[in-house]
Amino acid sequence: MILLFGGTTEGRKAAEVLEEAGSTFYYSTKTGEQDIALHHGLRIDGAMDAEAMQRFCQEQEIRLIIDAAHPFAQQLHQTIADVAQRLRLPVVRYERIFPPRDEHFIWIDRYEDLRTLRPATVLATTGVQSISHLKPLETAGFRFLYRILPRESSVALAKAQGAADDQLCYYHDDEDEVALLRRLRPDILLVKESGESGGFNKKTQAARSLGITVVALKRPATPFTFHCVNGPHGLRRRVEQLLPDFFSLHSGLTTGTCATAAAVAATIRLTRGETPSQVPVILPDGETISVGVGYGNDYAFCIKDGGDDPDVTDGIEIRAKVEAQAPLHLPPEGGGPQKQPVDKESSPLGGELEGGQVFITGGEGIGTITLPGFDYPPGSPAINRVPREMIMTNLKALPLCGRDGGGPFTITLSVPNGAEIARRTFNPRLGIEGGISIIGVSGITKPFSEEAFVASIRKCMEVAKASMPAEGCLVINSGAKSEAYVKARFPELPAPCFVQYGNYIGATLRIAAELAIPRVTLCVMLGKAVKLAAGNLDTHSRRTTMDVGFVLSMLTEAGCSDDVIAAAHGLTLARDLWTLLPPDRLEPFARVVIRHCHHHCDPVLPDGQLDILLIDEEGHIYA
């Protein structure tokens, strides 16, 4: 069992992560005022001292504590650390993302440090609990305005600490920070180092724009025994490591994250001469996770952890070789890498660091793009935009990166046996030749991820749109069998115009609408068709089964006899209808099924033409 301390934005996000497991956990807040919906979490409210917390953990058999409370809840953090030490429990600290400390701000360790400044009018945004610490400074000539939450409990607590009505102002969701500061005209804005989710940047940027001095109270140190994460992906992976049975299936890393880790490790070795076994990787959402790496003679590598997602790239070795030398240039149309001058304004393959340019290219086992519709033109290595941006973001975060290499960096990514592995991926269908793609949007893969499969469909459809001839159409089908039958009907269409939707018919049609594809032909076999006709746009068996009653009603619509309808009562497989129906009822029944499918699918593609083809087991097509 897990005990989660929340009451914050991070607490809400942590609860969302734990809810994905479908397992019971406890969610604890001090006041009970946070509005949060829990399905598997059990809510408990009220402060706990060390004895109460220890007793609760023992009685409820708590095996892991997650501390997602406010960074300045110092007493709670210490209580959690003490109880965890006594009971030998691991603690994960869900920390906020903190921007670098701005050297233009005045940073203090304690409220009393304000005494070193000249007395002034101070707008304190440090919370209602800070009023008792600031009131004594009024005797030194400071005038305080306190910004608090517009809650009765907060107002009552502020007044109990001596705040007057004319000292109180309130947070409002639609409030303009600059307008508020102009109205109050403080000399100093006092803030806590509360991180991005605490509005730190929004407050301080408004103050700086008006020339108001910013004084920031440093956040307290996190107990050194805590495992720290600063985002939902890192939290899930840490829970999977510390409590493996909480999530029935485990998450993994994208090829983009692995390539980034290898590039970071190789750059650290080049610029610092160090070979750490773990490197930090900043994900696209801004959070940082730790990724294991290794080293070869002239490269660093990362072994791809696919988690429990059925991925043929699981366990592959992704390498990065970093050289401080003249950049490699890929010509726009095919050809191998050549050493040529590169126009930094037009090259899409890298970016800028303080010490010079960075160029990212592909080596052995990295595929080459041969069709339009990708982030980069044909002839480019199949390294998508997001992984490239991840590599650049992470290199920019490295101290000394780019300064000691004596020139631009070239980062060459490679995958041993990548060409063989790629044959078992979507790449041949997408026109990516010679290796795998370096991909990933979030940096993390979730097991049996619908999101990942739909993302693959989207990429196939983007390529299809770019390859589509004038007056052509997109043909979507459930898999290899139906596609083989239908290709003969559209001999003029290039291979990329045939896209497999698996079970995600609705998602595929929605993507077609987003991409403004003018004409779509939906090919479907009867097992999925009867589910679709009943209104199930996702036909996976774990979500929906054949509605026999609805099938019987369609048989009636098609004018089938009572004997046929009676025989269909015991139906277990929809495809058995092809042998159950008399020959003269096949066409009418197919038309009824197609009509019901149109009823549910046409609204998903409102601005395009949708044709639906029903295919039987022998490959006969009904339109």
Side-chain angles (χ1 to χ4, degrees):
M1 189 74 77
I2 294 177
L3 173 58
L4 165 60
F5 289 93
T8 57
T9 299
E10 290 67 38
R12 186 189 303 277
K13 292 179 179 178
E16 291 173 356
V17 171
L18 298 186
E19 288 281 350
E20 293 175 358
S23 302
T24 304
F25 64 95
Y26 289 98
Y27 185 74
S28 174
T29 65
K30 181 178 180 181
T31 64
E33 294 178 308
Q34 185 183 33
D35 183 17
I36 180 171
L38 298 174
H39 300 287
H40 303 287
L42 304 176
R43 184 157 186 168
I44 55 174
D45 299 312
M48 286 192 277
D49 60 19
E51 287 68 27
M53 189 182 299
Q54 179 172 335
R55 184 168 57 254
F56 182 87
C57 289
Q58 291 172 322
E59 291 174 351
Q60 303 303 326
E61 298 182 348
I62 299 301
R63 298 167 57 199
L64 173 67
I65 296 175
I66 299 174
D67 179 1
H70 195 280
F72 283 82
Q74 199 164 1
Q75 182 58 57
L76 174 58
H77 303 322
Q78 190 57 53
T79 300
I80 292 172
D82 292 342
V83 170
Q85 185 177 19
R86 291 181 209 165
L87 300 180
R88 298 182 180 276
L89 294 176
V91 179
V92 178
R93 170 64 184 155
Y94 192 133
E95 193 59 275
R96 297 180 176 184
I97 295 176
F98 295 98
R101 288 179 177 169
D102 193 316
E103 61 184 12
H104 297 97
F105 300 166
I106 299 173
W107 294 89
I108 60 176
D109 297 301
R110 304 172 304 161
Y111 292 111
E112 292 75 12
D113 294 343
L114 283 170
R115 292 184 184 273
T116 63
L117 305 179
R118 181 179 301 174
T121 298
V122 179
L123 173 59
T125 64
T126 46
V128 69
Q129 299 282 1
S130 68
I131 294 176
S132 61
H133 299 283
L134 297 173
K135 287 296 290 184
L137 296 176
E138 293 180 355
T139 60
F142 286 91
R143 174 176 175 263
F144 287 99
L145 301 171
Y146 303 109
R147 193 177 183 194
I148 64 174
L149 293 172
R151 296 194 300 222
E152 290 184 11
S153 58
S154 298
V155 174
L157 183 55
K159 291 185 176 180
Q161 295 176 85
D165 286 332
D166 61 358
Q167 289 182 286
L168 299 180
C169 57
Y170 304 97
Y171 286 95
H172 296 286
D173 292 338
D174 58 350
E175 186 168 33
D176 185 295
E177 296 284 338
V178 172
L180 174 74
L181 292 173
R182 280 179 175 154
R183 176 170 59 84
L184 299 178
R185 305 185 66 179
D187 304 303
I188 293 172
L189 176 68
L190 177 62
V191 295
K192 286 179 175 178
E193 189 181 12
S194 56
E196 293 181 3
S197 64
F200 183 86
N201 287 345
K202 185 178 179 182
K203 298 172 189 175
T204 57
Q205 288 171 5
R208 287 196 64 180
S209 72
L210 298 175
I212 296 171
T213 300
V214 175
V215 177
L217 180 68
K218 297 176 185 175
R219 68 184 187 274
T222 301
F224 74 93
T225 55
F226 288 8
H227 302 272
C228 290
V229 300
N230 65 351
H233 299 309
L235 175 63
R236 173 160 179 160
R237 287 183 63 78
R238 185 62 75 175
V239 172
E240 291 169 351
Q241 293 164 5
L242 296 172
L243 208 63
D245 56 349
F246 185 77
F247 289 94
S248 59
L249 297 171
H250 290 185
S251 60
L253 304 176
T254 63
T255 52
T257 296
C258 296
T260 300
V264 168
T267 305
I268 289 174
R269 181 162 72 171
L270 177 68
T271 59
R272 303 183 201 166
E274 301 171 3
T275 54
S277 61
Q278 299 267 332
V279 295
V281 172
I282 303 169
L283 298 179
D285 68 354
E287 68 175 289
T288 302
I289 63 171
S290 184
V291 180
V293 293
Y295 301 88
N297 290 334
D298 59 353
Y299 61 87
F301 66 87
C302 177
I303 303 298
K304 183 168 186 305
D305 169 18
D308 286 320
D309 202 35
D311 184 351
V312 298
T313 63
D314 182 37
I316 67 171
E317 181 179 296
I318 299 178
R319 297 177 178 179
K321 180 178 180 180
V322 179
E323 300 171 279
Q325 61 177 30
L328 292 176
H329 173 60
L330 287 177
E333 294 293 340
Q338 305 170 14
K339 288 190 177 181
Q340 299 177 356
V342 175
D343 178 3
K344 69 179 182 180
E345 297 298 326
S346 62
S347 173
L349 303 181
E352 295 284 337
L353 290 181
E354 183 173 339
Q357 291 175 277
V358 172
F359 299 91
I360 302 168
T361 189
E364 175 195 358
I366 300 296
T368 299
I369 297 169
T370 65
L371 295 174
F374 288 88
D375 296 333
Y376 300 100
S380 303
I383 306 169
N384 283 10
R385 177 182 56 81
V386 172
R388 291 180 187 275
E389 292 175 350
M390 284 180 65
I391 291 172
M392 291 305 306
T393 296
N394 279 271
L395 294 191
K396 287 176 181 178
L398 288 178
L400 302 179
C401 181
R403 300 180 187 175
D404 296 347
F409 285 129
T410 294
I411 299 176
T412 304
L413 303 179
S414 62
V415 176
N417 301 317
E420 172 61 29
I421 295 166
R423 295 190 183 100
R424 291 174 278 150
T425 71
F426 273 106
N427 278 10
R429 178 177 294 273
L430 292 171
I432 295 174
E433 299 178 355
I436 72 163
S437 306
I438 302 299
I439 59 176
V441 176
S442 68
I444 298 291
T445 61
K446 290 185 179 179
F448 302 96
S449 169
E450 176 179 328
E451 177 185 0
F453 193 90
V454 172
S456 298
I457 294 173
R458 179 181 293 276
K459 180 51 65 180
C460 288
M461 293 177 70
E462 290 171 348
V463 172
K465 182 179 180 181
S467 306
M468 192 179 297
E471 307 302 324
C473 71
L474 172 70
V475 180
I476 61 174
N477 55 89
S478 60
K481 184 176 181 180
S482 60
E483 184 171 299
Y485 288 144
V486 81
K487 274 188 171 179
R489 193 179 182 96
F490 299 95
E492 75 284 1
L493 290 181
C497 289
F498 297 87
V499 174
Q500 295 178 8
Y501 54 71
N503 288 294
Y504 304 108
I505 299 173
T508 304
L509 290 175
R510 281 188 283 272
I511 295 170
E514 292 171 16
L515 297 177
I517 294 176
R519 183 180 176 189
V520 177
T521 298
L522 165 61
C523 305
V524 61
M525 299 189 78
L526 193 56
K528 296 183 188 299
V530 296
K531 295 178 182 180
L532 182 61
N536 300 295
L537 295 177
D538 179 346
T539 59
H540 199 289
S541 58
R542 71 172 179 267
R543 288 203 174 102
T544 182
T545 57
M546 178 177 61
D547 184 342
V548 176
F550 183 72
V551 172
L552 298 178
S553 71
M554 288 195 293
L555 291 172
T556 301
E557 283 186 65
C560 293
S561 68
D562 292 343
D563 290 343
V564 170
I565 294 172
H569 270 86
L571 197 66
T572 57
L573 296 174
R575 65 170 178 259
D576 291 342
L577 285 166
W578 293 122
T579 56
L580 179 66
L581 287 168
D584 67 327
R585 291 297 91 194
L586 291 176
E587 287 280 358
F589 178 70
R591 288 196 297 270
V592 169
V593 173
I594 291 171
R595 184 173 70 249
H596 282 283
C597 290
H598 268 293
H599 176 73
H600 298 291
C601 292
D602 287 353
V604 186
L605 191 70
D607 299 319
Q609 177 184 336
L610 178 64
D611 302 314
I612 298 178
L613 304 180
L614 180 62
I615 307 172
D616 70 13
E617 297 302 305
E618 304 302 321
H620 183 76
I621 296 175
Y622 298 87

